[in-house]
Amino acid sequence: MRTGVRCSARVLVFGASLRENSLNDRLAVLAASTVAEKGWLVDRATFADFECPSYDADVEHGGHIADGAQRLRDRLVAADALIIASPEYNASMPGALKNVIDWTSRIKPQPFNGKQSLLMSASPSMSGGNRGLWSLRIPLEHLGTRVYPDMFSLAEAHVAMASDGRIKDAVLQKRFDTTIECFMDLVEAAKHYPALKKQWVEFLGEHPEPLIDRVEESDASGVQSGASS
Ligand SMILES: Cc1cc2nc3c(=O)[nH]c(=O)nc-3n(C[C@H](O)[C@H](O)[C@H](O)COP(=O)(O)O)c2cc1C
């Protein structure tokens, strides 16, 4: 973890719950203020900003993309990174979040591709909603988002947060801060050090096809080429 001056980056932060007083939205607020304190630009959204009707291929083929997906697309394009605090429903991700991701993935160029993301969750349960994050990784990684390996899940979240929005347990609060700081280090490295050698080839099981291959390569000099589906 680095402690020097930070480089600029912009992060979109939202909780994936429509509920008033959502635990995940409260965690998203804490993440947003932590990132802002460390010097990044924060675009704070609410899940209501991205509300979409259920995905319908006939609607899409009629030339319409849900407005909520279009708004998420615009805010993703403007961001270097994404932090989502998501509830766990029935040991998985909320259907409404998957629906927004599905709609948004239909926009070309596909806007999740190449974004860095950090996932977190809050739940009254002892697992903190962590299983839902494992299912959320799947569509995001499939779409070319680099999902940070560490995830933060707050167990017994209904009693774990203080009235000032911070986590009561000092050790957990420190772990939260460290996870965010290490994520920021990685995003800054990916954004500001073009000599970083990157090779990213997503194998989707199809035959190679330049129009849809998701390949990002750079040689050691940092010259980069990319294609996205
Ligand atoms: C349909 C449904 C399924 C749920 N399933 C789980 C679950 O599998 N694991 C869990 O920890 N909490 C589960 N919960 C409880 C949620 O974690 C809890 O309602 C939480 O507060 C939702 O997040 P929010 O406060 O951000 O809205 C479920 C809640 C609902 C409504």
Side-chain angles (χ1 to χ4, degrees), residues 17 19 21-25 87-92 122-125 127-129 131:
S17 170
R19 192 172 78 83
N21 297 320
S22 151
L23 298 170
N24 286 281
D25 204 56
E88 174 180 280
Y89 287 170
N90 296 313
S92 186
S123 162
S125 76
S127 65
R131 292 170 303 181

Side-chain angles (χ1 to χ4, degrees), residues 165-221:
R166 289 175 61 80
I167 298 167
K168 287 180 193 165
D169 184 305
V171 174
L172 272 185
Q173 177 64 56
K174 174 85 186 131
R175 198 170 294 167
F176 179 84
D177 291 340
T178 304
T179 302
I180 287 187
E181 202 152 329
C182 290
F183 171 67
M184 293 174 76
D185 288 348
L186 181 73
V187 175
E188 290 179 11
K191 180 176 180 186
H192 294 285
Y193 303 106
L196 189 75
K197 184 165 167 42
K198 288 186 200 164
Q199 278 212 318
W200 182 274
V201 180
E202 174 86 1
F203 176 66
L204 299 175
E206 297 98 0
H207 291 295
E209 165 55 61
L211 277 178
I212 60 166
D213 282 347
R214 190 155 51 237
V215 177
E216 180 183 327
E217 291 173 331
S218 68
D219 60 27
S221 67

